[in-house]
Amino acid sequence: MDRTNALVERIFRNAGAALELYSIYLGERLGLYRALADKGPATSAELAERTGTNERYIREWLEHHAAGGLVDVDDVKAAPSERRYTLPAEHIPVLADEEDVNYHGYKGVELARAARMLPDLVEAYRTGDAPPHQPWEPEGRAEFNRPTYLNRLGKEWLPAIPEVDERLRADPPARVADFACGTGWSSIAMAQSYPRITVQGVDLDGDAIAAAQAHAQETGLSDRVTFSVANASETLSGRFDLVTILEALHDMSQPVDALRTARSMLAEGGSVLVLDELVEDEFTAPAPALEQYHYGWSLMSCLPDAMGDPDSAATGALMRPDTLRRYATEAGFSQTQVLPFHTDLFRFYRLIP
């Protein structure tokens, strides 16, 4: 196939994939996956009744999902109103169980939100400014990192760093600062796994901090986990044995300032843990699928978030190891360790003063 026709086919295929994600948005927002997971197979009329939706719309949604293999149908030859549809057990963790680390039902919401800001993004690309802040409504704030942090941060990732794990288990109890903590699940996860430590989470988003404070109350950890609205470049009081910056440094307009602040807060023997995207060591084209994925979010979100400040580092999502080393050196760190483990999406760095 020549390159012209290959590109036509690629765009057509990607358009179908985008539409599938919008159909997943509908399923997530309308509770269709949850209803199939909780109450089992259903006809279109039964699923519509369970979810308070219109049968004709739901019939089309079910047929689309069956055509794409997202749900199973018992008898394709049956009359449309008599077909029964099942959400396969293997798909429940991905589409219906928000507590599972494999949950990806939120991807439709992410893509819908990204599409809404495209007109503003077009103008931002012209002016060099940041686009206006987008409200979280009507979907509400996504907490897609919750199961990952609760199941892996304190149970797998931190124990894999012996010096950090040892300090978090030792006396006197360690103090941890969690920069750009969002709705607080990273801070809560660390406190759950290390019952002696205290964690102070900070974020610029007041709504996120309010949610984080509520989560700390709900989990019974508000005596050891506190949250406040603050810039990562503002020094917190006291000394900390660990400062974490989890999937956030590349979004910051002043990453060196944030790292310099983190360094100034460290107690003797303390270090900074940075989790960021798993990217190639250098620019590559054509790039692997994961690199293309990160570039997509950099175009739509990560780079725009850091624009608007004339002094912004404008890092974008593709913060390569050499870039982080340069930032860390400028912030006064003597060592930048690329830790000898990673996930499918993230790389880990430990910065030593």
Side-chain angles (χ1 to χ4, degrees):
M1 184 183 297
D2 64 50
R3 292 186 74 178
T4 298
N5 287 326
L7 180 57
V8 169
E9 181 178 315
R10 170 181 173 173
I11 292 174
F12 181 82
R13 185 173 61 250
N14 287 346
L19 291 169
E20 179 174 280
L21 282 167
Y22 291 142
S23 78
I24 289 174
Y25 173 94
L26 293 172
E28 192 274 343
R29 294 289 290 149
L30 294 170
L32 304 177
Y33 299 122
R34 189 71 264 164
L36 287 170
D38 288 346
K39 297 184 178 180
T43 64
S44 56
E46 290 168 344
L47 186 57
E49 183 177 358
R50 290 177 192 175
T51 56
T53 50
N54 176 270
E55 184 277 333
R56 182 62 189 91
Y57 276 126
I58 297 307
R59 190 193 329 156
E60 197 77 2
W61 184 87
L62 284 167
E63 289 180 3
H64 165 274
H65 266 44
L70 295 172
V71 301
D72 294 336
V73 58
D74 64 345
D75 184 0
V76 296
K77 301 297 185 182
S81 62
E82 296 176 3
R83 298 176 191 139
R84 298 187 68 78
Y85 298 87
T86 302
L87 184 62
E90 299 88 347
H91 292 185
I92 290 175
V94 181
L95 295 173
D97 186 358
E98 296 181 12
E99 304 298 315
D100 196 285
V101 294
N102 291 310
Y103 179 68
H104 275 61
Y106 65 87
K107 287 294 185 185
V109 172
E110 282 192 327
L111 268 292
R113 285 177 50 78
R116 280 204 297 271
M117 70 179 290
L118 280 171
D120 289 332
L121 203 54
V122 169
E123 186 61 22
Y125 268 58
R126 291 190 174 117
T127 64
D129 292 332
H133 176 72
Q134 187 181 35
W136 287 99
E137 299 305 325
E139 297 87 4
R141 179 182 287 275
E143 295 189 322
F144 56 85
N145 58 20
R146 178 180 185 272
T148 299
Y149 286 150
L150 292 181
N151 287 286
R152 292 181 173 163
L153 177 56
K155 297 177 181 179
E156 296 179 14
W157 299 343
L158 291 176
I161 313 170
E163 300 89 344
V164 171
D165 181 63
E166 180 179 353
R167 179 64 192 94
L168 295 181
R169 298 184 188 281
D171 286 321
R175 298 184 73 216
V176 178
D178 190 13
F179 283 9
C181 65
T183 57
W185 291 113
S186 50
S187 303
I188 290 168
M190 289 186 281
Q192 286 181 335
S193 294
Y194 297 95
R196 299 180 62 78
I197 69 171
T198 58
V199 186
Q200 187 167 349
V202 297
D203 199 284
L204 279 174
D205 189 326
D207 291 339
I209 289 298
Q213 291 168 337
H215 295 328
Q217 288 283 350
E218 293 162 4
T219 54
L221 291 169
S222 57
D223 59 329
R224 293 193 294 117
V225 182
T226 58
F227 297 101
S228 58
V229 178
N231 192 306
S233 298
E234 299 173 12
T235 303
L236 302 178
S237 60
R239 289 284 182 257
F240 293 83
D241 301 284
L242 178 67
V243 177
T244 57
I245 309 175
L246 307 180
E247 205 186 358
L249 189 64
H250 70 257
D251 290 321
M252 297 178 182
S253 60
Q254 304 293 335
V256 174
D257 287 350
L259 292 177
R260 187 177 292 118
T261 298
R263 181 179 178 276
S264 72
M265 293 163 45
L266 291 175
E268 183 176 354
S271 59
V272 174
L273 176 66
V274 175
L275 176 154
D276 219 274
E277 317 301 344
L278 179 62
V279 298
E280 298 295 307
D281 287 346
E282 57 186 23
F283 175 70
T284 304
L290 180 61
E291 192 94 342
Q292 296 176 43
Y293 177 82
H294 289 321
Y295 264 118
W297 281 116
S298 194
L299 289 173
M300 299 296 296
S301 178
C302 301
L303 180 59
D305 283 348
M307 297 294 283
D309 179 348
D311 297 320
S312 174
T315 307
L318 285 291
M319 185 175 70
R320 305 192 189 281
D322 280 350
T323 301
L324 179 55
R325 289 189 187 95
R326 175 166 56 83
Y327 289 166
T329 299
E330 291 177 13
F333 288 91
S334 64
Q335 296 182 50
T336 299
Q337 299 175 349
V338 179
L339 297 177
F341 63 92
H342 60 77
T343 73
D344 292 340
L345 293 175
F346 304 126
R347 178 182 277 126
F348 299 80
Y349 306 86
R350 184 173 178 233
L351 311 185
I352 311 296

